[in-house]
Amino acid sequence: MNAFDLAAAERRRGAFLIYWDSNAFAEILDSQLTGGVNMLTHKTQVQVLFGDTDPYGVVYFVAYFRYFHQGIEEFLRHIGISPKTFFRNREEKFGMPKVAADCRFFIPAYYGDLLEMHTSIKEVKEKAIVFQFQFYRPPETRLAAEGSVTFVAIDHTWKAIPLPKMITEKIEGL
């Protein structure tokens, strides 16, 4: 069984069909998972470059994690937070390292494709924030890939701390 057959078999098993068949239902489900976070979604176009692909011209899985970072930076700028002060803030003595990331692939993307990436905040916890991503290959409306990245706030000694006020205030204003 190849990777595409395996992905199709996983989708047929259940939960993935909600994303595959109904984006509206997926948005309702996501808003319930966030614990009340208002779902601002920032859309970014991602051009698939030759260096993002494997020898067959399919986007190599690692490229999606670079796309995630691009989406996070653009989302932060959109809500008025400088990425430089989000990831490592020397003045307020905090950092936001990535502690978890995942990605699932549903349909392949190819060299030359122009993907549409939707970036939003999935969950806000006392000491962490989770961003989620959804990729589409317009004009298709099927979900091509989805993933998430979790950041934890730390102080200058690398101990977890509550999310800094400069971040929570911007998120609460969404």
Side-chain angles (χ1 to χ4, degrees):
M1 180 176 284
N2 67 32
F4 295 117
D5 292 337
L6 182 59
E10 283 187 41
R11 283 192 301 276
R12 285 192 294 269
R13 287 195 310 193
F16 300 108
L17 291 176
I18 62 170
Y19 291 107
W20 197 259
D21 295 334
S22 174
N23 287 330
F25 183 71
E27 289 174 16
I28 293 167
L29 178 63
D30 287 341
S31 67
Q32 292 172 349
L33 293 174
T34 62
V37 173
N38 189 351
M39 293 293 291
L40 169 70
T41 299
H42 186 266
K43 296 179 182 177
T44 306
Q45 290 189 333
V46 177
Q47 182 71 56
V48 176
L49 304 175
F50 180 77
D52 294 339
T53 63
D54 65 16
Y56 301 97
V58 176
V59 174
Y60 185 59
F61 77 96
V62 174
Y64 281 96
F65 294 98
R66 283 196 315 274
Y67 301 159
F68 290 173
H69 193 82
Q70 176 186 349
I72 291 166
E73 287 196 15
E74 293 190 24
F75 182 94
L76 291 172
R77 284 187 196 98
H78 183 74
I79 65 171
I81 297 175
S82 163
K84 186 176 180 177
T85 60
F86 175 85
F87 296 115
R88 185 175 183 192
N89 192 314
R90 292 175 188 257
E91 289 179 16
E92 297 189 33
K93 295 183 171 62
F94 75 85
M96 296 290 293
K98 294 175 191 162
V99 298
D102 66 88
C103 191
R104 299 192 69 118
F105 313 97
F106 304 109
I107 58 175
Y110 300 97
Y111 171 58
D113 282 350
L114 186 61
L115 302 176
E116 184 175 277
M117 175 175 52
H118 297 196
T119 304
S120 58
I121 295 174
K122 179 178 181 179
E123 188 174 9
V124 177
K125 300 177 182 178
E126 179 190 2
K127 299 177 183 182
I129 184 168
V130 181
F131 288 90
Q132 68 181 5
F133 310 89
Q134 296 175 321
F135 292 86
Y136 298 90
R137 235 180 37 190
E140 294 184 43
T141 58
R142 295 182 299 166
L143 187 63
E146 67 180 351
S148 67
V149 175
T150 303
F151 292 88
V152 171
I154 60 169
D155 65 15
H156 66 284
T157 67
W158 289 77
K159 302 265 190 228
I161 59 171
L163 287 174
K165 190 173 184 177
M166 67 161 287
I167 295 171
T168 58
E169 286 176 350
K170 292 285 185 178
I171 293 170
E172 289 169 359
L174 299 179

